[in-house]
Amino acid sequence: MANELAAKGEVQKLGEIFRKVIRNLSVLAAATTASIMVFGEKILRYWLGEEFAAKGYRVLLVLAVTYFLLSMFGIIYNFLMGLSRQKAVAGWSMAMAIVNLILLFAFLKPYGIIGAAWAYLFSVLPIIYLFYWMEKKVLNSDNIFKFYGKLLFKLGFTVVIFILIIKYSLWLWANSLGSLIVLGPLSVLIYMLLYRLFGFFEKEDLQIFSAFGTKILERLKFKKPSR
């Protein structure tokens, strides 16, 4: 789709689609990341044991943020590939890999495994600038800081309220691996519900999630396919 729109010179339309994808997938990524961070210690404890949880919990927190950024990079990656900008993709990927390698040598010995996690996080921070570069240089977008500032406020505000709610409700019920298998996905849905209750969803985005949810229920045989 990106390739076709670029070939037609419809850069504005391409930019609109890019932002729509960012709006929707960032909510899903934030919901998953926040859930992992809230239940992270218990996930490690009931899955791998208390000793591993004590040593690995901080690492999991850092990696959760890292993979949130990488999930966003995946969107840019696919758009650039569709626009036949493989050199840009290779350049950015190589730069982050080199930074990661340098920081890994610097942090691993003095700080151990948590140092390696921080090195990985610092190496993907250029993704934040990559969004600006993508919007400015590739899509010629306007109001870049307004769009992303507003989006980050919505995601962050929902995360804070979500953590407070989960910590004093579902977190108390997470006392086994089986309960976490249920509460984990449920907490993701709660984040989405909060985002909806706060009125943060755009109308068209809400329709997309509604249609997507309906398809999932149909696949799971909880709802008859619409004709």
Side-chain angles (χ1 to χ4, degrees):
M1 179 183 61
N3 186 275
E4 182 179 352
L5 289 173
K8 294 179 180 179
E10 299 182 16
V11 180
Q12 183 177 353
K13 179 66 175 177
L14 183 61
E16 293 173 359
I17 294 174
F18 178 77
R19 287 192 172 184
K20 184 185 296 185
V21 174
I22 292 295
R23 285 201 311 264
N24 286 288
L25 292 188
S26 63
V27 177
L28 285 172
T32 306
T33 301
S35 297
I36 291 174
M37 295 180 76
V38 169
F39 291 109
E41 192 275 336
K42 291 195 173 187
I43 292 173
L44 295 179
R45 186 201 310 173
Y46 295 123
W47 182 24
L48 299 170
E50 290 191 14
E51 183 179 354
F52 192 95
K55 295 179 179 179
Y57 175 53
R58 290 186 301 155
V59 176
L60 181 62
L61 293 179
V62 177
L63 290 179
V65 177
T66 302
Y67 278 95
F68 171 80
L69 292 173
L70 286 173
S71 68
M72 296 294 98
F73 176 67
I75 300 170
I76 298 177
Y77 174 91
N78 286 308
F79 266 83
L80 288 176
M81 291 297 289
L83 295 172
S84 299
R85 294 203 175 208
Q86 290 86 351
K87 289 184 178 180
V89 172
W92 281 102
S93 300
M94 182 63 71
M96 287 189 288
I98 293 173
V99 172
N100 185 30
L101 189 60
I102 294 172
L103 293 177
L104 189 61
F105 277 108
F107 291 176
L108 184 57
K109 187 174 182 179
Y111 302 110
I113 190 65
I114 187 65
W118 280 110
Y120 195 15
L121 174 58
F122 290 148
S123 71
V124 302
L125 289 181
I127 292 174
I128 298 174
Y129 172 76
L130 186 54
F131 276 101
Y132 175 80
W133 176 85
M134 182 77 178
E135 294 267 9
K136 193 72 175 179
K137 303 297 183 180
V138 180
L139 302 174
N140 300 321
S141 302
D142 296 322
N143 301 318
I144 299 173
F145 292 104
K146 180 180 179 180
F147 170 78
Y148 286 98
K150 185 178 179 181
L151 178 61
L152 287 174
F153 170 78
K154 292 178 179 180
L155 296 174
F157 181 81
T158 307
V159 165
V160 172
I161 303 301
F162 167 82
I163 290 176
L164 290 174
I165 291 175
I166 297 300
K167 276 291 186 180
Y168 293 98
S169 58
L170 296 185
W171 195 82
L172 302 174
W173 295 91
N175 49 24
S176 67
L177 186 59
S179 63
L180 285 168
I181 292 175
V182 175
L183 295 177
L186 179 60
S187 64
V188 172
L189 294 178
I190 290 175
Y191 181 97
M192 305 287 289
L193 179 61
L194 288 172
Y195 203 84
R196 170 70 178 88
L197 290 176
F198 295 146
F200 290 159
F201 276 115
E202 301 287 340
K203 185 177 181 180
E204 58 178 336
D205 296 343
L206 205 55
Q207 293 172 347
I208 291 173
F209 275 108
S210 177
F212 184 67
T214 299
K215 289 294 182 182
I216 292 177
L217 292 176
E218 291 175 355
R219 288 290 182 89
L220 296 176
K221 308 299 183 183
F222 290 130
K223 184 177 182 179
K224 292 183 179 180
S226 55
R227 298 180 178 178

